Amino acid sequence: MRDRKIKTTACVLLAALLLGGCGEQPIELTEQEEQTIVDYAAHVVSKYNIKQQDGIVRLSKSEETTETADTEAVEQPDSTEQMPSEGGDATGTPENEASDNSVSLNDAVAIPGIDAQYTGAEFATVYQQNSSYMVEPDAGNKYLVLHFHLENAGTEAVACDMLSRKVSFRVTLNDSVEAVAQVTILLNDFGTYQGTIEAGSGTDTVLLFEVPESTPEDLSKISLEVVENTVHKTCNL
């Protein structure tokens, strides 16, 4: 309010000097006289403006400091902001890292009283159990033959009926070739085996899989999936 009164007084003074009274011709001033009046009016305003030390728009040191700090706060990025990692969770574990959920062969086939053992694999153009029965794959394919030994280590005979359980098998070879076990009438077909295994004895069985004839004969990595009643179990042979 005080500043407003000061400015009003200066304007009235300037108008009085220029107009010089009602009904009379304005007083003509030289350029030097006009400059003198302007300087005087500016001096009066600045004299009574306690927020102004020198000139018309000078800021106090505290105001300059505050303005500088506000500017730096806007320009400085947040140093605590973290860039998102490329894949993986908060612990640094890669997203595509797969966990090993494989089980043992015995857990996969689950034959009470029988120890199931994987004994090897081979490729074959035909498979013959005995001289009276032989099976052949379709043209352009060959057999991947997996061998399993069923051992009864107990003291009583164990009846084994895989046929009624309707268990199916799927093999994955070297993470690239997949095949489903053939259903055959071979007496030693693991998937359809029916028989009684006496205490302290065992029997050999096989699973036959048709794979492309061009499949490399690399048997270093074989995974067997056992499916029974929609339950899937995988074992690494």
Side-chain angles (χ1 to χ4, degrees), residues 51-100:
K51 294 184 178 181
Q52 180 174 317
Q53 294 182 359
D54 187 18
I56 298 178
V57 293
R58 178 176 176 81
L59 297 176
S60 64
K61 290 187 178 296
S62 61
E63 290 174 325
E64 292 177 347
T65 303
T66 303
E67 184 179 21
T68 303
D70 292 341
T71 302
E72 291 179 351
V74 173
E75 293 179 352
Q76 288 293 334
D78 186 0
S79 60
T80 61
E81 184 179 355
Q82 296 182 356
M83 297 298 292
S85 59
E86 296 181 1
D89 54 20
T91 60
T93 304
E95 291 180 350
N96 60 349
E97 182 178 346
S99 59
D100 185 3

Side-chain angles (χ1 to χ4, degrees), residues 7-25:
K7 292 178 181 179
T8 303
T9 302
C11 291
V12 171
L13 178 60
L14 179 59
L17 291 175
L18 293 175
L19 298 176
C22 298
E24 297 182 4
Q25 293 294 328

Side-chain angles (χ1 to χ4, degrees), residues 95-117:
E95 291 180 350
N96 60 349
E97 182 178 346
S99 59
D100 185 3
N101 293 322
S102 62
V103 299
S104 67
L105 178 61
N106 277 321
D107 289 338
V109 297
I111 306 174
I114 297 297
D115 178 26
Q117 305 168 8

